[in-house]
Amino acid sequence: FRPSTKTLNTQLSNHLNGALYVGYRSDTYELSYKANPIGKVNQRITHFGFSAGLATGIGSTPINPWVTDDNVSDEYDGFVWSKAFCILMGVEKLNFGLALGIDHLLDSNKQYWIYQGKPYLGMTVGLNIN
């Protein structure tokens, strides 16, 4: 989600970006036991995690006349470097959260891109691999 600018309304993008995340995490485990009809007891472990930290990575963004104030006539997907502060919630091995970050276009049209260095709000999905 990108806020509106003086020349463009609020934007919602669905581009996939990849990033590395480093942060502090607190985990909670809940144990429960349930007996089945023949008396055998089964153990169930539920895992929740909460995390906050920093992410950085690469991604793509549309570059066109609308996001460059008509300074670029081509339409293409530009290569961006993202940096963000994230708050995540994990359930088992999946993580979901919000990221507040900034992007920097990495090509020669960066001086025209209206979102260069401006904040965005993103949704995150991750996989805990430890």
Side-chain angles (χ1 to χ4, degrees):
F1 171 82
R2 294 187 188 277
S4 62
T5 67
K6 63 182 177 181
T7 60
L8 197 60
N9 290 332
T10 301
Q11 299 292 302
L12 184 62
S13 171
N14 63 352
H15 286 81
L16 183 64
N17 297 333
L20 294 175
Y21 171 81
V22 176
Y24 175 77
R25 183 175 171 109
S26 176
D27 293 283
T28 303
Y29 296 88
E30 183 179 292
L31 296 173
S32 61
Y33 298 92
K34 186 175 182 180
N36 64 20
I38 61 171
K40 182 178 178 187
V41 177
N42 295 315
Q43 178 185 23
R44 181 171 181 221
I45 301 172
T46 306
H47 172 231
F48 297 100
F50 298 96
S51 181
L54 301 174
T56 185
I58 56 172
S60 65
T61 190
I63 302 298
N64 53 51
W66 297 279
V67 297
T68 60
D69 288 334
D70 289 320
N71 287 299
V72 175
S73 59
D74 295 336
E75 292 189 27
Y76 67 96
D77 285 335
F79 191 59
V80 292
W81 176 31
S82 295
K83 296 157 285 291
F85 172 74
C86 304
I87 297 175
L88 308 173
M89 179 187 165
V91 178
E92 303 304 334
K93 291 199 175 281
L94 290 177
N95 297 290
F96 303 93
L98 294 174
L100 178 61
I102 58 173
D103 283 339
H104 287 93
L105 186 64
L106 298 177
D107 67 29
S108 61
N109 291 319
K110 63 185 172 188
Q111 71 270 19
Y112 304 121
W113 190 43
I114 62 174
Y115 298 120
Q116 184 79 357
K118 303 269 175 62
Y120 69 84
L121 181 64
M123 295 185 330
T124 67
V125 178
L127 179 64
N128 189 4
I129 58 175
N130 64 354

